[in-house]
Amino acid sequence: MKAAVLNSPGNLELITRPEPKAGPGEVIIKTAANTLCGTDYRLFTGAKTAGVRPGVVPGHEISGYIHEIDKEAEQYLPGVKVGQQATVSIVVSCGSCRNCLRDLEHLCLNLELFGYALDGGLQEYITVPAHAVKRGNVIATDKELDPKALCLAEPISCCLNGIDNYRVELGDTIVVLGAGPIGLLHTQLAYAQGASQVIVSNRSKPRRDLAEKFGAIGVDPTAEDLEKRVLELTGGAGADAVVVCIGAPELAHEALLLAREGGRVSYFAGFPKGSTSVMEPNLIHYKELSISGGSNARRRDVKRAITILESGAIDTDAMITHEFPLSRVHEAYEAVNKRLGVKIAVVPD
């Protein structure tokens, strides 16, 4: 089978290796698609190295079909059959550290991630190791989805975890800073959870146009005063929640300005390692703002994401704009780098 191997930063090699067979307790998934995100490119360049094993097969937005289930694995997959559509919850947690015991398995102190330490989706077959099978990380669908759409279960699950932290309440005005794939998912999810209006700030007109297709009010921050526009649209109050979906340090302060008294701010995006931001803490103090983050997702979040995809609440056709065969994986990475379209899918040849 073909597999893309990240030997070291900048060294992504397409190789041929034997097709895997399920060992004790293992499950083999035949890959149907894998979408790429900005984090994949950061792993490729070496901008992100934590938890990344040299020689790993990248790719963590995975969809496929159950190809083989070892007999020892069957007890952990009741009712799941060979040929059934499935994905993986990428966070393999230990279940016993202090975070796992506090329902924070996605922040497990001993976590392993598919596409980082465990081989991910940029290969034709994925071996799910026995300890991940035992933890319940193989998640099958109830309804057949477009394989590329199922890949979005991973980023959607992360968004759902973030939304649990910052909350979307009926009738809310939500400001989303950034209209990349994550910002566009937060936009659609906010409306699905009852927001009355979503204001999306982004410099790119095509991205703003897509946000507006999803019902948002697009704002070009280079041409308009974003704070003034938000106040106009909220009767002078400000946003109920502001979600930072671009890892730009200057947005950390701007988000505080945009939120109403008693509002919420989510620093959802990952920021460059070691980056700092200057902000006015009195905005948090006097406006009594609630601040949260969002990192990774639990297994149950992945199941919720699949349910949302099955409901049709996410316009996956509009989100997944380009497709490359695995043999052209380097072109796919370059497309991510150039921000071509929205989401890039890699599929087996």
Side-chain angles (χ1 to χ4, degrees):
M1 69 168 187
K2 291 186 178 70
V5 175
L6 185 61
N7 296 311
S8 60
N11 182 2
L12 183 71
E13 182 183 11
L14 189 65
I15 66 170
T16 300
R17 58 172 48 163
E19 181 182 319
K21 301 295 181 185
E26 293 180 342
V27 169
I28 305 296
I29 294 176
K30 185 175 183 180
T31 308
N34 186 102
T35 49
L36 298 177
C37 76
T39 300
D40 289 301
Y41 195 77
R42 291 170 65 201
L43 265 61
F44 171 70
T45 62
K48 185 176 180 65
T49 58
V52 180
R53 172 176 58 82
V56 73
V57 175
H60 59 274
E61 299 179 1
I62 298 164
S63 79
Y65 295 90
I66 302 292
H67 182 69
E68 185 182 358
I69 304 174
D70 177 71
K71 189 172 183 61
E72 291 181 24
E74 292 176 355
Q75 61 184 308
Y76 304 111
L77 293 166
V80 176
K81 302 182 183 302
V82 169
Q84 191 166 347
Q85 191 176 47
T87 185
V88 294
S89 179
I90 72 163
V91 178
V92 183
S93 56
C94 70
S96 58
C97 72
R98 65 172 184 263
N99 285 347
C100 285
L101 295 176
R102 291 172 177 168
D103 193 32
L104 297 171
E105 67 176 60
H106 57 303
L107 303 180
C108 173
L109 299 177
N110 305 301
L111 65 76
E112 296 175 291
L113 296 172
F114 281 91
Y116 292 65
L118 303 173
D119 285 344
L122 293 180
Q123 56 182 335
E124 294 182 78
Y125 294 89
I126 302 162
T127 300
V128 183
H131 67 288
V133 175
K134 187 175 181 179
R135 283 292 289 159
N137 284 72
V138 177
I139 300 176
T141 62
D142 293 322
K143 292 169 56 178
E144 184 83 10
L145 294 166
D146 181 304
K148 295 190 291 293
L150 180 56
C151 294
L152 297 185
E154 194 281 329
I156 291 171
S157 69
C158 295
C159 292
L160 291 173
N161 173 55
I163 289 171
D164 285 346
N165 292 336
Y166 72 79
R167 305 190 317 278
V168 176
E169 298 177 352
L170 192 65
D172 273 353
T173 291
I174 309 296
V175 171
V176 176
L177 301 180
I182 290 297
L184 293 169
L185 286 175
H186 274 285
T187 297
Q188 295 177 80
L189 290 168
Y191 276 126
Q193 298 205 7
S196 63
Q197 60 180 349
V198 180
I199 304 164
V200 175
S201 172
N202 198 267
R203 297 177 181 180
S204 165
K205 186 177 185 306
R207 293 284 177 91
R208 290 198 310 275
D209 289 346
L210 187 52
E212 289 174 356
K213 177 183 177 182
F214 298 149
I217 300 165
V219 177
D220 180 355
T222 65
E224 293 186 71
D225 184 322
L226 179 59
E227 185 180 2
K228 181 180 178 181
R229 184 71 171 128
V230 170
L231 291 174
E232 288 174 352
L233 291 166
T234 58
D240 297 289
V242 182
V243 192
V244 180
C245 296
I246 303 174
E250 63 272 16
L251 296 181
H253 177 70
E254 184 173 13
L256 304 179
L257 295 171
L258 299 173
R260 65 162 171 81
E261 289 87 352
R264 292 94 62 192
V265 173
S266 170
Y267 297 120
F268 186 86
F271 291 81
K273 187 176 182 179
S275 62
T276 59
S277 180
V278 177
M279 63 179 67
E280 185 181 348
N282 266 341
L283 289 169
I284 301 172
H285 173 72
Y286 285 109
K287 293 171 79 172
E288 295 192 4
L289 300 178
S290 298
I291 310 299
S292 64
S295 178
N296 289 327
R298 302 167 181 83
R299 290 162 294 172
R300 68 168 180 263
D301 298 320
V302 178
K303 293 181 180 179
R304 292 163 62 199
I306 291 172
T307 299
I308 287 171
L309 286 167
E310 291 173 343
S311 77
I314 302 297
D315 188 341
T316 56
D317 289 339
M319 291 288 296
I320 302 169
T321 55
H322 293 76
E323 179 182 312
F324 291 85
L326 182 58
S327 59
R328 294 168 56 196
V329 66
H330 294 91
E331 295 176 52
Y333 269 80
E334 188 57 27
V336 174
N337 180 40
K338 292 180 177 178
R339 298 182 181 179
L340 183 65
V342 182
K343 289 295 285 186
I344 307 298
V346 178
V347 300
D349 289 73

